[in-house]
Amino acid sequence: MSEDAPFDLDALAARLAAEDGPRLWRSLEELADRPELRRLMEAEFPDVFEASSVDRRTLLRLMSASLALGGLAACNGGDAGSHAPLLSQSRNMPGYTPGVPVTIATSLPLNGFGRGVLVKSQEGRPIKIEGNPLHPASLGATDVFAQAEILSLYDPDRSDTPLQDGSPRRWEELTRFIRPVRNELVVGEGRGLHILMAPTSSPTLHRLISYTRELFPHAQWHVFTPIDDDARRAAVLDGFGRDLDFVYDLTQADTIVTLGGDLFAEEPGHLRYAADYQKRRRMRDRELPRLFAIETRPSLVGARADERIVLRPRDVDAFVRGLAASLEAGVAPAPDVHPSVPRLAELLRRAGPRCLVVAGREMPSEVHALALAINTRLGAFGTTIRAIEPVRPIIDGAQTLHDLAKAIEADQVSHLLVLGGNPAYTAPADLDLPSLIRRVPHSLHLGQHRDETASVCRWHVPETHPLESWGDLRAFDGTVGLRQPATMPLKPALSAEEFLGLMAGQTVDGQGLVQATWREVWGEGFEARWARSLEDGVVDGSALPSIDIAWRSDWRPEPAAPVSSGGIDVVFAPDPSVWDGSYANNGWLQELPKPLTKQVWGNAALIAPETADIFGISSGDAIDLTVEGRVIRAPVWVMPGHAPAAVTLTLGYGRQQAGRIGNQIGFDAYAVRPSRRPWIATGEIKVAGQRIPLISTQHHHALQGRDIIRVVAPGQDTPQDSDDRPSLYPEWPYEEHAWGMAIDLDACIGCNACVIACQAENNIAVVGPEEVAKGREMHWLRVDRYHSGEPADPSTYFQPVPCMHCEKAPCEVVCPVNATVHSSEGLNDMVYNRCIGTRTCSNNCPYKVRRFNFLDYQGTDYTPSADAMNPQVTVRDRGVMEKCTYCVQRIGAARAGARVEDRRLRDGEVMTACQQACPTQAIVFGDVNDPDSAVSRLKKDRRSYALLGDLNTQPRTTYLARIEIPAEEG
Amino acid sequence: MAQLFTPAATTAFRVAIVLLGVGIVAAGATAYVWARADSTWKVGKPAPQPVPFRHDLHSGSLKIDCRYCHSTVERAADAGMPSAQTCMSCHSQVWVGASVLDPVRTSFTLGQPLEWTSVHRLPDYAYFHHAAHVTKGVACETCHGRVDQMPRTVKAQTLSMGWCLDCHRDPVPKLRPREAVFTMGYEAHGGDLPDDIREFYREASRRLTSCNTCHR
Amino acid sequence: MSSVAQSSTSPVADVALSRRFGSMWWIALLASGALVLLLGYTLISVALLGVGVWGVNIPFVWGFDLINYAWWIGIANGASLFAAILVLRRHDLRTSVNRFAEGVAFFAVICAGIFPIVHLGRPWLFYWTFPYPATFQVWPQFRSTLTWDFWAISTHVVVTSLLWYVGLIPDLATLRDRARRRTVKRIYGILALGWRGSVIHWAYHQRAYRLVAILVLPLILVMQSTVAFEFAVTLVPDWHETRQPLHFVATGLAQGLSIVLLVAMLLRWGLRLGRYIDEEDIDLLGRLVLASALVSGYLYLDEFISALLADGLTREATISRMTGSEAGLYWTAIVYSVVIPQLFWMKAARQSTVAGVFVGFSIGVGIWFDRFSIIVGGLQTDYLPSIERTYSPTLVETGLFLGTIGLFTALLLLFVRFLPVVSMFETRHDEHQEKSS
């Protein structure tokens, strides 16, 4: 097939040139030269053309004069300004109604796994991402990264032209470069060709990889991701003798023990696991499950756990050995077992097969092995755990990044192909990958940005955004979701699939490549199944089946290594906002308060209060952290509940070539990440005697003994406020609907999905670090985080706080111009175009949920393209107050729909953005006038209470108390 | 020494004071009238269009139903503009050579949208839903006037917020039965308004005057 | 007019009519003029960029804008009330201090008037607080204290300017008669509204003057209370207090008196008006200042006690204002506005120019810090700990404040230059009575 290749290269060049942005004049120029067009025009304009020869200029004038010049520009639906023109489309588009968004089901990758999403697209421009209810990894919920992909799609810094040694090249030049090189490689059967890519679950990619390998038998593949699961794999290979992935079923688990990591934030199935855990908690007929988190760094799962056991990483091993020993899993008990081991062991034994022990990604393989041993021992397999074929299959013979480094040092690499990712930045520092890549004679990087890797490769090729291109992805349980474009490519670029297709001499048409994959699999009946799968966003029945596996009977853990006493443990972790750094240029995520620290626009070295006292430092003091001879300077964050003598560094900051938003923010933890111990290393702390300002949205985290967060024991109820308190404010009649919201603090895991979903839905501005530091962030919905108890190991509570839409709203009476008023359905309307900005309403809001446009926040470097804006929500002006509207545009749309169909709104028909994104259904919205609505039922719940109820503001947003099992029962 | 002021000075001064008072009142009155004048709201003022489309021909003489071109008016917020293809469905037969139709044909040929100038565009903080109005008995004519008599499309009403509110406060007198919504020059008399619509609006005025009905 | 009278008040008139006025005045005018330019700059930057150029945030949505507003309006109220009372009681002191007390009130209210408009997010729409038949048929919200404030401040401008101007008319006439150059004569002539000093004129004048003075009385109560309500009606724990209006009225009075004293002292020293503003006047003024300082002292005490008696959060809020991170503001206020004025127990201090200037100044400073402490310190404690923040003013804000001070001084300087700073007709009237008795 190699001989097809040249043809495809031309096709590629042609396509990309044509795609090169909506530039009418250029396309006109090109069109004008085409004979076929000339013929066409003659047919259409006989009267013009019969007058003998029409020269090119006449033709151009004719076209441009009669064409809607603004037409193309106006396609960027965002600017619906007063002067927006009325557009007559060229052709009738069946199924398309102007102004009515279209929903497209697709899948988004995170660390190679897929999460199914539904993309809302307005006039062909994606504006919002929701979870796909049919997708097992989503169940309709989304995480912050999925929500933020909209902004990444419109990132102005995305690369749009090939680069050679840093200077732009035309696509034709790229193809002119590739063609000979490729032929040469084909002849040499790929000798000297090394391909570096991240592990992927995409069947199409794997199919193309195998084709490529046929073509280049001697090419060497290397797989690398900074967020690796190597330790777990080693344990699995050791214990089961083969590679496997695991799927947990938390609805079945009675006792769950997590060892580090974050089951609710960092596992491939985190959304599903959070949802299942809450589902299990809601099972009235079963006793509440017990969740224990043994961890160094506070995590979401730890915050939700019934009990946290704070351990330094180096002590976890001993702890698990103790646990395993007391469960007679054939393990010699460690000399001194942790006091809570026996109790934990007892609970596990009681749970039997309904137990689950999960070790986090950063744990050493021994811990993983012991965890698996315990699960096997108690028969958890088949109940709470399923073993499946690895979702991201290993490319056989694939090597690691080290091997690549070695190969380059040995000058065995003549051609290096970096397919996606940003290894030059994410590689452990001691490999010194950037300078190694520079040594490779021919290197090519396919990536979305002109990032650190692009700058060290000879060639850089723009990569499409997942929302622009075709592909397929498997979810954590193997379910396949097809990835289909939700928009025309905004920038000319290639997907990894297309590039490999090119290399393999296949077509460069992504759709064709994906279809080919599944035509092979499905055989006849392909068309129907393809269509259905595209519509559903999932290929039904594609989940990988459980496989029977046996734990090696003669397995014994290596004797416990003596716990070293020197130094402090340095734990590396993916960042809750920018993951591994790939989201660094995303303003929404940068400004998203991290769940536990509420820090924005940067990262910090998390240390325990105890450690802080020992060094005599406080949050914002810089330390010099030395790991294996490498030093970084980082500000510390004193994190209640962090393990002493340990420090946590989150990855993904300190980038140099992320783009206009992500550059030089925070510090780069990769710089001290050792390649041999990428997750837990040992280091030294030195106080630097410098202060590095940290920006946070919440400065006080003590409840100060106030009745803000309520906690009840199982089955207990919380004191109810009396409704018959006198008020001078008027009573409102409600004929039809009265909207209200209930937020279940027992379900909220603090994941922030609601915050960013709200931001995406409501065009909420990103104000930037300086403004946030001044206390001017704009989030309509904030998640307050409180600690109570000992700073060494406090309980952590999350409380999402949107506008309360008070029945007796204090803000309404103080506005001099009636800009904030009570609606007939009990909403507290904020009328931007009436607001003159006295800010009195905010003064009189006890919840301080109002946000003010102190400056023109919609005209800054952080402001996304108008295309990313939701046209159903007014973009707020400078000097105007704004706040949560209960997504009134969604209410309006739903009502209009119901009116047209002449029916009443159904319960659950209106979903607020925050509600829709929530993985645990902690937020329920609906009509409180309808006694049978879900929200009414929750408000009748005995756990229901109003925040600051004693102020008699009668908030429409109420909370359900968190349920905690009193300690003595434990 | 000579007098500073002539004897008339006092009178002059008094007159000045009176005039000042009158002037203030007059200014107020002028502002009041100006703010409500049709000219201020560009009522009856046509806008430049790529094609000299004549509603009076198509809707008036040819009696083409509004919905033939504005096809989504009964199900969407936007009434919908006819595609070049819709135009060509007739104009591939009639007026084939006419140069005034060049833009339409070019659009049809090159697949480029055709850009009209809206004369009814509301400010972007006001959200209007055609279907919600049309399906509840608000006629085209009520807001757009006798389109069937317009050689060039113009605004027939100020479309000021006050004008909207006048109807939103008490819609019933302005409403029509569904079948009369698209007719022009219909004489509304409350009697022939179906009860369901009366029922619907009996309680509705509070909701219709809530800010979020039009502003989000 | 009698020659005696002529001679007795001629220096005052000469001041206004003299062609040269000494370099001091020019320097002072230039200095304050520079500050007025600064004011212009800050106003423009706010108009162009938005109130974000100040240190305001959520929850500290108000900063210097409201602090300065409350402060200036306090001066205006104090001074005008003082003047009005003197007029109504026909008190001797009025001869000497009325004129510039009224002036001070008028200029202060001008400075104050700037803030309610510039503090808006969209100042160009300020007129929406005024009820007029708009085409969008939306009316102001009459329950809002800010709407009341709109009426209060506009009434205030009208009344204080009237009080000042009506008082001026007879003296403008005198200046008209004494001026030499014709143009000057004409200008004063027009301003004098054709005053001919006939009995009927005097009768009307007295009636008008006293009528306006009576209007002032309720005004100060209304005005200061309205300002206080802007805080008292909110749910902010520290502000939500029925005692706020009283606090604002009393401290406002002290503030007004102190500034009058300050100006009196400066004029007396600067224009050598010892004859017209004599020891008795100064001493009386000093006593009043002391008395008002004692009243505010009492109110601070009342605040403290009512805080102790209040329920949990209110107490916490007030205590944290007195002891928390912003406690400095609170104690500065007390020291400057209550403690220092105690000097005036000593007659010597009351009559010494230096002491007078010092005390007058310090009360002004004290009350400014009091407003700062209420508006910023009061917001430290809110219902949800999660939203607690800090506020620190920016240079632009400070510039705005200095700018208004410059404006005030400039107006004062022009006033002393071109108008009689001491009421000549009142003085003459006094002396007549002295002779006749």
Side-chain angles (χ1 to χ4, degrees), chain A residues 267-286:
Chain A
E267 291 292 319
H270 62 279
L271 287 171
R272 175 60 175 272
Y273 295 150
D276 284 353
Y277 178 68
Q278 196 51 38
K279 197 167 157 202
R280 172 69 180 79
R281 281 183 78 82
R282 289 197 173 111
M283 292 180 182
R284 291 260 184 278
D285 53 334
R286 306 249 307 263

Side-chain angles (χ1 to χ4, degrees), chain A residues 480-503:
Chain A
V480 174
L482 296 178
R483 208 182 83 232
Q484 59 175 322
T487 171
M488 293 287 288
L490 303 180
K491 309 205 164 179
L494 283 176
S495 68
E497 290 82 356
E498 287 162 342
F499 197 91
L500 273 179
L502 195 64
M503 296 295 294

Side-chain angles (χ1 to χ4, degrees), chain A residues 606-682:
Chain A
L606 309 182
I607 58 170
E610 187 185 321
T611 322
D613 296 343
I614 292 169
F615 287 94
I617 50 178
S618 63
S619 293
D621 285 326
I623 54 167
D624 287 324
L625 182 67
T626 316
V627 181
E628 298 186 5
R630 290 193 167 63
V631 188
I632 48 164
R633 175 158 297 188
V636 299
W637 186 285
V638 181
M639 182 78 235
H642 194 282
V647 54
T648 301
L649 308 177
T650 62
L651 304 166
Y653 281 93
R655 292 203 44 188
Q656 302 305 316
Q657 285 160 285
R660 66 194 66 185
I661 289 178
N663 286 349
Q664 275 94 25
I665 293 174
F667 63 90
D668 179 6
Y670 290 110
V672 290
R673 200 179 188 196
S675 53
R676 293 294 159 199
R677 301 162 67 204
W679 289 108
I680 298 171
T682 315

Side-chain angles (χ1 to χ4, degrees), chain A residues 40 44-45 47 66-68 80 82 84-86 88-92 97 733 824 829 872-874 899 902, chain B residues 75 82-86 97 105-109 112-116 121 124 127 136 200 206-207 210 212 216:
Chain A
L40 229 157
E44 287 298 331
F45 302 96
D47 48 342
S66 47
L67 267 182
S82 345
L86 285 168
S88 278
Q89 294 305 328
S90 162
R91 294 282 199 280
N92 296 334
T97 315
S824 64
D829 287 348
Q872 294 306 314
V873 177
T874 307
R899 290 264 171 281
D902 248 318
Chain B
R75 50 190 173 88
S83 72
Q85 189 181 7
T86 311
R105 272 182 264 121
T106 322
S107 159
F108 183 72
T109 317
Q112 309 289 12
L114 187 53
E115 184 185 327
W116 304 83
R121 180 75 67 194
D124 47 11
Y127 292 81
K136 288 298 166 198
F200 172 76
R206 256 194 81 233
R207 199 191 63 247
S210 283
N212 73 35
R216 302 166 194 153

Side-chain angles (χ1 to χ4, degrees), chain A residues 794-917:
Chain A
S795 352
T796 304
Y797 304 104
F798 296 108
Q799 183 173 45
V801 186
C803 174
M804 297 287 144
H805 291 271
C806 306
E807 190 60 31
K808 306 288 167 80
C811 52
E812 288 168 7
V813 287
V814 294
C815 175
V817 293
N818 272 322
T820 184
V821 291
H822 213 71
S823 93
S824 64
E825 296 179 342
L827 298 186
N828 170 245
D829 287 348
M830 180 67 224
V831 193
Y832 313 122
N833 43 308
R834 175 66 175 173
C835 177
I836 60 173
T838 66
R839 315 190 284 292
T840 325
C841 50
S842 172
N843 257 340
N844 212 21
C845 174
Y847 309 95
K848 292 288 178 282
V849 293
R850 291 176 159 269
R851 297 283 174 249
F852 188 69
N853 291 271
F854 289 96
L855 298 168
D856 179 12
Y857 292 138
Q858 295 288 8
T860 68
D861 296 351
Y862 306 111
T863 311
S865 138
D867 296 347
M869 297 286 188
N870 178 355
Q872 294 306 314
V873 177
T874 307
V875 173
R876 280 79 58 190
D877 211 344
R878 182 254 284 190
V880 167
M881 191 62 76
E882 61 184 70
K883 66 161 190 70
C884 160
T885 63
Y886 271 168
C887 286
V888 63
Q889 67 280 8
R890 293 188 173 205
I891 299 175
R895 184 195 288 118
R899 290 264 171 281
V900 174
E901 292 167 30
D902 248 318
R903 58 171 175 80
R904 273 181 67 92
L905 280 170
R906 304 185 202 92
D907 184 33
E909 190 173 355
V910 184
M911 275 189 123
T912 61
C914 50
Q915 173 186 21
Q916 197 163 359

